[in-house]
Amino acid sequence: YMGHHLGVGEDEVTPDGTFSISEMECMGACANAPMVCIADYSNPPSYRYDYFEDLTVESAIALVEELRAGRYPKVGSQTGRQGAMPVGGRTSLFEPPPQPYCRDLESA
């Protein structure tokens, strides 16, 4: 979808030189998928490397259009989810877990 929207294939660059699409292997965030990583190398030697998560086709296209307009969208979940928490909120760990049992080493 994104390649079609931008008019480029994988590892190609848009005619204005602003966007390219490359496949990434594991981004370590399965619970946050679908997602994209945006790398911004426009201000060397500094750069940005941000994840945008919980995307739909529509929100991914909106993300690109925000960037194209010169605005940088909110990084992270695009649905407001916190971290890797399930969409409906916490399902466990409502209280701090108990400390692990440790035998009395002084009496050993």
Side-chain angles (χ1 to χ4, degrees), residues 17 23 29 33 35 49-50 52 55 60 84 90 95 97 101:
E23 180 180 348
M35 61 186 293
Y49 199 73
D50 296 313
F52 297 85
L55 296 171
R90 282 188 189 190
E95 298 174 10
Y101 169 76

Side-chain angles (χ1 to χ4, degrees), residues 43-90:
N43 189 26
S46 299
Y47 65 91
R48 290 183 73 144
Y49 199 73
D50 296 313
Y51 289 128
F52 297 85
E53 307 153 356
D54 300 313
L55 296 171
T56 63
V57 171
E58 295 78 15
S59 64
I61 289 172
L63 174 77
V64 166
E65 292 307 313
E66 283 289 301
L67 292 166
R68 188 175 269 163
R71 296 182 293 270
Y72 208 85
K74 177 182 74 92
V75 175
S77 174
Q78 301 303 294
T79 62
R81 186 165 55 89
Q82 297 296 309
M85 185 183 299
V87 173
R90 282 188 189 190

Side-chain angles (χ1 to χ4, degrees), residues 90-105:
R90 282 188 189 190
T91 59
S92 61
L93 297 176
F94 292 105
E95 298 174 10
Q99 297 297 317
Y101 169 76
C102 185
R103 63 188 170 96
D104 183 2
L105 298 176

Side-chain angles (χ1 to χ4, degrees), residues 22-46:
S22 295
E23 180 180 348
M24 288 183 76
E25 294 298 325
C26 178
M27 293 196 281
C30 291
N32 306 63
M35 61 186 293
V36 297
C37 179
I38 304 289
D40 178 359
Y41 298 102
S42 64
N43 189 26
S46 299

